[in-house]
Amino acid sequence: MSTLPAPEVQLAIVMRQHYNMLYDYGLKLTNGDEDTTKDCIQETFLAYWNHAADWAAIQSVKAYLLVTFRNRIIDHQRQQNRFVPTVFWAGSNEMALQPDFVFSPEDFLIQEATRTERSNLLANALNGLTRRQREAVFLRFFQEMDYADMAQVMGVRERTVYNLVHEGLNALRQQLPPAWLLRLAGGLLASVFIQ
């Protein structure tokens, strides 16, 4: 019979496993604001710690952290009057406000000139998508999340997430060479830069 590590150890493990993912996601949601991103990460892990009694009921720690983190960023942007709301219909009569979500060439920064050109082309193609499509593509292919967790993070139905990814890939098909799209759709975005 094995015993679970102490809650402090469990929290340290979760922080080590998810900090970089939250940091990357936060920079996208805050348009590169490192201070806000770091503050919201701290608040997210604090909220997770404060709900230690509920840890056993959490089906996906990654999704739980992303939902909490995203909500912290939205709250922070509202408080700072930097929140640019995007209204969309999340369900039947439900309206939701969404933060902006922007890719930059630095997301794909690689030293060689040919790789930099590819990075710029990919960033431009991704930025040509709608905000929701960019976020869905990021979560699916950069964070390798499943559709159920993505729906939870984005606050929409799973079918909506499927549609956003599908529409995003269709739009990218118009702008990227077919080999790149196949790699993206296969979840192998990193291999776009290796040829």
Side-chain angles (χ1 to χ4, degrees), residues 172-192:
L172 291 174
R173 185 177 294 124
Q174 305 301 315
Q175 299 177 39
L176 297 175
W180 286 27
L181 189 63
L182 288 174
R183 288 182 180 135
L184 180 64
L188 302 173
L189 186 62
S191 69
V192 165

Side-chain angles (χ1 to χ4, degrees), residues 42-102:
Q42 274 189 314
E43 292 173 18
T44 298
F45 285 127
L46 181 61
Y48 181 71
W49 174 254
N50 288 336
H51 291 94
D54 302 326
W55 287 356
I58 297 174
Q59 293 179 1
S60 170
V61 172
K62 184 176 186 177
Y64 176 89
L65 292 173
L66 284 169
V67 168
T68 304
F69 181 60
R70 190 171 191 270
N71 289 336
R72 296 281 188 256
I73 287 176
I74 291 171
D75 290 345
H76 187 270
Q77 289 175 338
R78 280 186 184 135
Q79 291 170 357
Q80 301 298 316
N81 293 323
R82 290 185 292 167
F83 183 72
V84 180
T86 300
V87 178
F88 79 103
W89 294 100
S92 56
N93 292 325
E94 183 182 334
M95 273 189 4
L97 297 175
Q98 303 300 320
D100 196 4
F101 194 90
V102 178

Side-chain angles (χ1 to χ4, degrees), residues 59-163:
Q59 293 179 1
S60 170
V61 172
K62 184 176 186 177
Y64 176 89
L65 292 173
L66 284 169
V67 168
T68 304
F69 181 60
R70 190 171 191 270
N71 289 336
R72 296 281 188 256
I73 287 176
I74 291 171
D75 290 345
H76 187 270
Q77 289 175 338
R78 280 186 184 135
Q79 291 170 357
Q80 301 298 316
N81 293 323
R82 290 185 292 167
F83 183 72
V84 180
T86 300
V87 178
F88 79 103
W89 294 100
S92 56
N93 292 325
E94 183 182 334
M95 273 189 4
L97 297 175
Q98 303 300 320
D100 196 4
F101 194 90
V102 178
F103 283 92
S104 68
E106 290 79 24
D107 293 333
F108 314 103
L109 185 63
I110 299 175
Q111 295 178 356
E112 296 177 35
T114 57
R115 290 182 180 178
T116 301
E117 288 175 28
R118 289 179 182 176
S119 298
N120 288 332
L121 179 62
L122 182 57
N124 289 336
L126 288 166
N127 283 330
L129 303 177
T130 67
R131 291 176 182 177
R132 300 296 288 165
Q133 290 169 348
R134 285 192 305 256
E135 185 173 8
V137 167
F138 176 80
L139 292 174
R140 179 70 181 129
F141 300 109
F142 289 71
Q143 297 300 326
E144 300 177 355
M145 294 185 72
D146 64 36
Y147 287 98
D149 288 346
M150 290 170 59
Q152 184 180 0
V153 169
M154 296 177 73
V156 296
R157 293 177 301 188
E158 194 170 333
R159 184 74 216 153
T160 302
V161 174
Y162 278 109
N163 290 341

Side-chain angles (χ1 to χ4, degrees), residues 30-45:
T30 63
N31 201 18
D33 185 341
E34 290 186 39
D35 292 334
T36 298
T37 298
K38 290 176 183 177
D39 288 347
C40 291
I41 289 172
Q42 274 189 314
E43 292 173 18
T44 298
F45 285 127

